[in-house]
Amino acid sequence: MGVVLLMVLFALIGGVQSCSVSSCSATASFDIPASTVEREPLPAGAVTETGWYTDADGGWVRDASELEEGLKAFYEATGVQPYVYILPNGSVTSVSELTSMSDELYGELFSDEAHFLLVFCDDGYGSFNCGYTVGSQAKTIMDEEALGILADYIDRYYQDRSLSEEQIFSRAFADTAERIMSVTTSPVVPLAICGAVVVVAVVVVVVVRQRAAARKREQEHLEEMLNTPLETFGERELDDLEEKYSKK
């Protein structure tokens, strides 16, 4: 239920959007959606570079380099600079409030339209709420499909208790960039190609064997002809004539 809700809310693309997730099993299985859109990175200079995050909670980011590694990977791949704003745990539970906050923060933090701002608030009980704003230029990358993919990655890594808080966001953004910047190949295509290769290989083997058998028969016939004495051919002709006239 949490994944579905997050994806639906992420899919409502506009100037400002929000998302929320309820708790779910840490052992749940998540299937990340395929990327079906060819996306081109934003041109150099679209972003007026800023920092990467704000930890207003004060207890989420202990290793800044760990967090920024994934955010920078996203930026390098897409041309969109992400920014994660982490509120104090349990301070905001209203999605509409997070929506308004995200809108206000975007104008305060950035002077361009090529940022992606994620405002995150953990409720302290195994779930979280978030709001986000997509700059108008960034929407060419962060479309409905891309937002759904990011939402699923965040939810997947949030449920992974082996990850640190920094790794949740770092991996989610890095993996999202890798997926959305290339079209996901359907497993049917390589299977079909393999099947076609197998069929061609079988046909080739059959044809080669048939030709080899034909050549062998020709060789055996030729050897038989060469090994037959010449006078035998004359005797065969006389025998054939005798048989012919005897029948008459």
Side-chain angles (χ1 to χ4, degrees), residues 34-36 179 182-193:
S35 174
T36 63
R179 177 159 292 237
S182 62
V183 175
T184 306
T185 303
S186 170
V188 175
V189 175
L191 287 176
I193 293 174

Side-chain angles (χ1 to χ4, degrees), residues 3-83:
V3 177
V4 174
L5 180 59
L6 182 61
M7 289 181 63
V8 170
L9 290 170
F10 257 21
L12 300 177
I13 299 177
V16 181
Q17 300 111 27
S18 63
C19 63
S20 64
V21 151
S22 58
S23 61
C24 59
S25 172
T27 59
S29 174
F30 299 96
D31 293 325
I32 303 302
S35 174
T36 63
V37 179
E38 292 186 2
R39 301 175 177 87
E40 292 294 330
L42 295 186
V47 172
T48 301
E49 294 187 11
T50 62
W52 299 95
Y53 72 94
T54 295
D55 182 8
D57 178 80
W60 270 75
V61 181
R62 292 176 291 275
D63 186 346
S65 61
E66 181 77 46
L67 171 62
E68 292 178 6
E69 181 180 357
L71 301 182
K72 290 177 180 178
F74 183 93
Y75 177 36
E76 291 173 1
T78 65
V80 175
Q81 183 174 0
Y83 193 100

